[in-house]
Each structure stands twice: as structure tokens, then as C-alpha cells.
Amino acid sequence: MSLTTKELSNTRLEGNSKIKSKTWIQIKRNYELYLFLLPVVLLYLVFRYYPMYGVQIAFKDFTPSKGIWGSEWVALEHFIRFFESYNFWAIIKNTLSLSFLSLLFGFPTPIIVALMLNQITAKRYKKFVQTVIYAPHFISVVVLVGMLNVFLSPNSGMVNHIITLFGGEPILFMADSGWFRPLYILSGIWQETGFATIIYLAALAGVSPELHEAAIMDGASKWKRILNVDIPGILPTIIILLVLALGNIMSVGFEKAFLMQSDLNYDTSNILPTYVYEQGIQKAQYSFSAAIGLFNSVINIILLFVVNRVAKKLTETSLW
């Protein structure tokens, strides 16, 4: 005997009410956990979502005296102005070059270090190496750039002293545009490899020892066990971190690039974040800089969805 439309709707309403009641029962039962989550939720609402209200100035000719709502609507004028500017392609090229090179050399390094540390049997030596490579993570960017200035100084820097000792000429590392990218990338690898290594070591700890025992019984060497046991075991972690890294390919660290920037290396150090600072803070072109920042964010979101979809199709591992 078939149910009428009214009976079906009543059944659905009853089912939905039961689900809601069960949800509220779960919330009441575990309210302490939700209270722990509350500060994080409030933090994101205040500092991540509420500022989105101001994104609309990218489509307006913002005037502080008129406010956001009172400013004149100009639609895509600021975006077109940025796309037609003489240095648009230079800025995009500098940003992408720095991002891709940092990813190319910086992403595999912690994986290699983690695989090497995982093979070390001496626990004290392993802990010592972990501490040494992890310590630079706690150094602030300002201190890091200060160290670069001290060590690479053409007059008193240790590196140039070694160069002159072997008969070479002092190099103006911090003022040479050709040295900006290598210094940025190498200093980033030195500072962040230790932190990323911990993530991969944790993933390696989850690899079943029985797989290694079976590989040893089959006569596999350490190198073959790394290739056929360790790397497949941490592959999902590698893919997830790679998707996140590619999704932020346009978001180069502003602080270090800005601190390393000078008039002499401006042609390679002028990237999107520093250009936004220059236009928005130094020149007070708030709407124009907001449009550039929004363009940057939209590109990152598109890349994140595309890379995540490709990773899901090829490896069945993705963020969602």
C-alpha cells in the first residue's frame, strides 16, 4: 500500500526532528569539547571572516572620509588597471619564479632528511640532529635577514673573507639581483626543513614494522625498503602537503622578501605581496592594493581546487 504525499512529508519531518534532537543530545553530552573549540571559532570569525567585509573596496574608489559604503562603485576598474600596468608581467614572473623554485628545492628536502633520519639507529645522535635542524624554525625572519647581512657583508662578512682568502673578489650578495632568489630559497630551506621533517617522521612512525620485516626476509636492502615500503607509506602525507603548497603558490612570504629588498635587487625582489604593501601602505592606494590582493587570493583558490581534483583522480588522496 503506497503512502500519500502528505504522509511522506510527515515522515521526513519526523526523521529530521529526530536527527536534530540527537544532535542536540550529543552537543549537551560533550559541551566541554565544544567550549574548547569556541575560542578557535571566535578567532577565525573575528580575524578571518569578518575582514572579508572590507574586500568590497577592491570594487570601489575608497575614500576614508566617506567610508566603505559611501565610496563610489567603480566595478573592475582597479583590476583592469593592474592587468594593463607596465610591470604586471614582471611582478607575476618574479612571484611565480620564487614560488616554484622554493617548492622545487624546498619541498623534497624534508622528505629526504626524514628518510635518512628514520634509518639511524643511534637514538642520541638522531635526537641531536633533529634538534639542530629544528632550532632555526624558532628564529624570527628579522633575525634571519640580519644574519644574512652579517655573514654576507662585503667588508666584514665571513663568506666574503673566505672568497678573498682564495683570491676572489668580494660579492655584494644582498645588493645583487641575481643572488636574491638563491639566498631567499636557501635560507628558507635552512629555516623550515626541521619543522617539515617532524611531520614526515611522524608519518614514517605509522608505517607497519611487519612490512619491513617481510622485506628483510625477502632480502631487500635499505635502499629498496625505502623505495618500496617507506615512500609508499608516507605518500598520502606527501600528496596532501603538496596540494596545500601548490594551492599557496602565489603566496610568497612577504616579510623576508620585503626585508631583503633594496633598490639594487628590486627587479627580482618585487613580488605581489611587496607590491601590495608599496601601493597600499606607502602610496595609500587602498582600493588598488585590495584588488591586487583579491586577485592573488582568487588564483590561489582556483589552483587549490584544480590541484586537489587532479590529486584525487591520480592517487585517490585529496583534501576533500
Side-chain angles (χ1 to χ4, degrees):
M1 187 175 180
S2 60
L3 297 173
T4 63
T5 306
K6 188 175 181 180
E7 289 174 339
L8 284 171
S9 62
N10 289 334
T11 305
R12 288 174 183 172
L13 288 172
E14 288 177 4
N16 291 334
S17 62
K18 286 181 180 179
I19 292 171
K20 288 180 181 179
S21 62
K22 286 182 180 179
T23 303
W24 279 111
I25 290 170
Q26 289 293 329
I27 292 173
K28 290 178 181 179
R29 188 176 296 170
N30 303 300
Y31 73 94
E32 298 95 342
L33 298 176
Y34 289 97
L35 286 176
F36 275 116
L37 285 174
L38 185 60
V40 179
V41 173
L42 290 175
L43 184 71
Y44 269 80
L45 288 175
V46 174
F47 294 102
R48 296 290 183 181
Y49 288 94
Y50 179 70
M52 290 182 184
Y53 158 79
V55 170
Q56 59 183 300
I57 69 172
F59 305 94
K60 294 188 173 187
D61 188 10
F62 176 70
T63 305
S65 60
K66 295 181 180 179
I68 294 177
W69 286 105
S71 299
E72 181 185 355
W73 181 269
V74 294
L76 300 177
E77 180 180 321
H78 299 298
F79 294 92
I80 296 170
R81 175 187 165 193
F82 176 57
F83 297 151
E84 293 179 349
S85 61
Y86 73 95
N87 56 355
F88 170 76
W89 288 112
I91 294 170
I92 297 298
K93 177 186 174 183
N94 289 340
T95 305
L96 291 177
S97 298
L98 199 59
S99 295
F100 275 117
L101 289 173
S102 297
L103 187 65
L104 179 64
F105 294 103
F107 188 80
T109 305
I111 301 173
I112 297 169
V113 173
L115 292 171
M116 293 170 64
L117 285 175
N118 193 53
Q119 297 299 319
I120 296 176
T121 55
K123 291 184 178 180
R124 289 186 178 180
Y125 178 72
K126 184 177 180 179
K127 289 182 179 179
F128 172 76
V129 174
Q130 282 183 268
T131 304
V132 170
I133 63 174
Y134 186 50
H137 177 72
F138 296 98
I139 299 175
S140 70
V141 177
V142 177
V143 174
L144 175 64
V145 176
M147 291 169 63
L148 289 175
N149 283 313
V150 171
F151 292 138
L152 303 176
S153 171
N155 299 320
S156 58
M158 181 177 64
V159 175
N160 274 307
H161 277 311
I162 295 173
I163 292 173
T164 54
L165 185 66
F166 286 95
E169 294 292 329
I171 301 174
L172 300 173
F173 288 100
M174 300 300 290
D176 189 345
S177 59
W179 278 101
F180 174 79
R181 289 174 187 147
L183 291 176
Y184 185 98
I185 294 165
L186 290 173
S187 61
I189 292 172
W190 177 75
Q191 188 176 28
E192 299 300 334
T193 294
F195 180 79
T197 300
I198 292 176
I199 299 174
Y200 293 113
L201 283 173
L204 285 167
V207 177
S208 176
E210 295 177 357
L211 295 175
H212 282 284
E213 292 173 3
I216 292 171
M217 291 293 292
D218 291 338
S221 61
K222 283 188 176 181
W223 176 245
K224 287 185 177 180
R225 280 189 283 134
I226 289 173
L227 289 177
N228 299 304
V229 179
D230 287 335
I231 293 179
I234 64 172
L235 190 60
T237 304
I238 295 173
I239 291 170
I240 292 296
L241 293 178
L242 182 60
V243 169
L244 290 172
L246 288 171
N248 288 311
I249 201 71
M250 298 286 286
S251 299
V252 188
F254 161 75
E255 294 88 353
K256 187 163 66 171
F258 177 72
L259 292 169
M260 292 177 64
Q261 191 178 80
S262 66
D263 293 336
L264 297 174
N265 63 15
Y266 187 79
D267 56 332
T268 55
S269 64
N270 187 26
I271 56 177
L272 274 171
T274 58
Y275 188 65
V276 168
Y277 171 82
E278 177 187 334
Q279 297 297 320
I281 304 300
Q282 294 181 338
K283 296 183 179 180
Q285 298 186 34
Y286 304 115
S287 294
F288 182 56
S289 61
I292 300 170
L294 183 58
F295 162 76
N296 191 16
S297 300
V298 170
I299 296 298
N300 278 333
I301 292 171
I302 293 172
L303 283 173
L304 182 63
F305 275 91
V306 171
V307 173
N308 185 73
R309 189 174 182 83
V310 172
K312 191 174 183 178
K313 282 188 174 182
L314 295 179
T315 64
E316 297 183 356
T317 301
S318 61
L319 292 174
W320 60 84

